Amino acid sequence: MAKTKDLGSGDQYNWRNFWICWAVSLGQIAFGYPASIIGTTLGEPSFLIYMGILNPETKMVTQSGNQLIGAMSGVFQAGAFFGVLFAAWVMDRYGRKAGMIYCATFSIVGGALLCGSVNVAMFIVARFIAGAGSWGFLAVTPTYCAELAPPKHRGFFVGMNGVNIALGYGLASYMGMAFFYAPYGEAQWRGPLGIALLWPFMMLIIIALPVVPESPRFLLMRGRIEEAREVTMKLHAVKGDPDQEFARAEFYQMSKQTEFDRTLEPGWIEMFRRPSYRKRTFMAMGFAFLGQSTAVLVINNYGPLQYAALGFGTEDQLRLQCGWISVGVVFNIVGALLMDKFGRRPLMLFGVFGCCVCLIIEAAMVGAFAEGPNPGTNKVGLSFGVVAFYAFLAVYSVGIDVCGVVWYSEVFPNHIRAKGICLSIATIALTDLVYLQATATAFANIGYKFYLVFICITLVGGVIFWFLLPETKGIPLEEIAKIFGETDDIMVFSEDLHVDHNTHELVVEEHGNAKGLTHVATEQGGPRGSIGEKGATGGVEQAV
């Protein structure tokens, strides 16, 4: 019997699959833009005066100004926490595409209210609603892309989500800069807020396209076998392979695994009760907390205020913010391209420790030259403070932003994947809520010393994850359990699936059996003439 090479070493690239994942990943712009636009909004004097944060005569922050700034930033994350958890329920019950529709709807409602806000109370309520919708995209689209992507290229396919997060941040900064030159008044801040509505509308159009399918893994969990087979064959077909070995093997593995997964408890409690699931959940939530404890969103949302502390005027603040965000776009692309070559673990650890070093430099520069005995006089020192910000985002983008999005979407089994990634994103939102609520007051009272909190957490967390963080590079989603010590939960290993090119049958070897015993897999993913008639998953095994 002629046997091919291991499926994991063969070609798995399909352009149709890539473009669908890329189109869906654009949903991250609908997250990144509204999440970041508050930074430039808070840099507009016209907005601050309109909302009662800045005294129009003295140009000084009012008595309640810092609290209002903290509320505007923090409530977005509060909405995110609840919105993301509800997104998990929508994805599990109605599908991944339904989850995107849910996110787009809340984003549009919240965005419209933000743009039309007439007072600070309305603005804060609108931020809550917008946070619920936009942050949902941070969980839904990586889940979808991970379930469509081939194992060999999953880092790149899912990594496009990280790239578009940074692109959303960048667009927000560019629009904030552009509207800075508009005539003084409400247009300076209502214009950028209104543009946020474009991205969720764009996602509704993308989701409606007939070429964008439902996730085949969700379809299998719902017993929609034929639909899942068709989606898998279209998205995983490899040009030049008449037997379509990878697509057939991938579908067979998915279908057999789903048959087992459907017998398992998919509830929230099970994620903490079962040791393997508990380990995954705590590790994902822990890294989510650690990633935000690098102070990335504090720097993003309060960037203009930080540049002001370094002695730069309003126009220069906005320019520096645009440049900072552009660094994120470039290095998220770098991370997405490197991930499938070097793996997730080395890049993630590089990101954590690299951010820690950059924060140490930043704290030293601000303490010595922006808040020292002669603040603002040493231009070289102040410039090094800006360089530290830029270097920070470069290492964060490569190691935490893009890698984290991919890693959260990989580590959970099919039946709890939506809940797992949503818990990870909810942890990010809750962490940001705490930090952003305290940031304005902390900087006003202790200044650069606030960075010491993030430096300590990042350093300790990096050491802990040095010993705990597993590698997921190239492992099929159905086999992730093996790195958590649960090989009994894996129904089929990809290394045991091959096509006999004489008979064109998909062959399943007995895993770990030195005698080389094999079975012929008559599976729904095969050629039309060999589609099995039996089994809830369309899989029939016959002894050879």
Side-chain angles (χ1 to χ4, degrees), residues 60-374:
M60 299 293 290
V61 176
T62 61
Q63 187 174 3
S64 61
N66 285 328
Q67 287 77 13
L68 290 175
I69 290 174
M72 288 176 180
S73 296
V75 75
F76 191 73
Q77 276 64 43
F81 178 79
F82 294 103
V84 166
L85 294 182
F86 189 71
W89 178 82
V90 174
M91 279 196 286
D92 280 339
R93 185 173 180 84
Y94 299 106
R96 299 352 184 186
K97 292 179 69 174
M100 287 182 262
I101 294 172
Y102 151 78
C103 295
T105 301
F106 271 76
S107 295
I108 290 169
V109 172
L113 292 174
L114 280 172
C115 184
S117 291
V118 296
N119 55 51
V120 69
M122 181 177 177
F123 191 87
I124 290 174
V125 171
R127 284 277 290 172
F128 181 91
I129 298 172
S134 61
W135 272 75
F137 280 113
L138 194 56
V140 176
T141 61
T143 301
Y144 177 90
C145 293
E147 294 183 342
L148 263 66
K152 190 175 180 180
H153 304 291
R154 192 169 58 238
F156 179 53
F157 281 34
V158 184
M160 290 297 101
N161 285 270
V163 173
N164 284 311
I165 291 172
L167 183 59
Y169 290 161
L171 288 170
S173 295
Y174 306 146
M175 291 302 102
M177 183 70 187
F179 278 85
F180 170 79
Y181 296 104
Y184 181 86
E186 296 176 27
Q188 289 183 308
W189 55 273
R190 291 195 192 274
L193 290 174
I195 291 173
L197 294 170
L198 294 176
W199 318 123
F201 274 117
M202 173 190 71
M203 285 308 299
L204 289 177
I205 294 172
I206 290 173
I207 297 166
L209 295 174
V211 296
V212 178
E214 181 56 85
S215 162
R217 287 176 168 88
F218 171 79
L219 293 173
L220 285 171
M221 289 297 292
R222 290 298 179 185
R224 295 156 65 178
I225 311 301
E226 181 61 21
E227 291 179 64
R229 187 199 69 81
E230 291 183 7
V231 170
T232 303
M233 292 304 294
K234 286 180 180 178
L235 298 186
H236 290 175
V238 176
K239 187 176 181 180
D241 182 2
D243 288 318
Q244 293 305 328
E245 182 174 17
F246 169 63
R248 292 167 62 191
E250 176 79 351
F251 180 74
Y252 181 78
Q253 184 183 41
M254 286 194 301
S255 61
K256 296 299 290 183
Q257 188 65 41
T258 303
E259 183 178 13
F260 173 75
D261 289 345
R262 290 174 68 182
T263 67
L264 301 177
E265 171 58 47
W268 293 98
I269 295 177
E270 188 69 6
M271 298 182 67
F272 298 92
R273 187 193 66 81
R274 186 168 176 172
S276 170
Y277 297 173
R278 183 169 60 246
K279 182 178 181 180
R280 303 184 206 202
T281 300
F282 284 156
M283 287 184 64
M285 293 176 68
F287 193 83
F289 169 76
L290 181 61
Q292 298 314 109
S293 294
T294 59
V296 62
L297 207 62
V298 170
I299 297 173
N300 179 70
N301 284 24
Y302 292 91
L305 300 180
Q306 292 302 289
Y307 295 126
L310 290 170
F312 295 94
T314 301
E315 187 173 353
D316 286 336
Q317 293 168 29
L318 293 175
R319 287 177 177 172
L320 289 170
Q321 186 77 350
C322 288
W324 187 75
I325 289 296
S326 299
V327 169
V329 177
V330 172
F331 281 91
N332 266 276
I333 295 174
V334 172
L337 292 172
L338 294 179
M339 213 181 318
D340 288 318
K341 182 176 182 179
F342 296 103
R344 287 54 156 159
R345 173 185 161 84
L347 294 183
M348 292 166 79
L349 292 174
F350 165 75
V352 171
F353 288 114
C355 285
C356 184
V357 171
C358 292
L359 285 176
I360 292 172
I361 296 173
E362 182 63 35
M365 293 302 102
V366 174
F369 304 117
E371 299 180 10
N374 299 301

Side-chain angles (χ1 to χ4, degrees), residues 52-65:
I53 296 172
L54 205 65
N55 188 305
E57 297 178 358
T58 64
K59 299 298 188 293
M60 299 293 290
V61 176
T62 61
Q63 187 174 3
S64 61

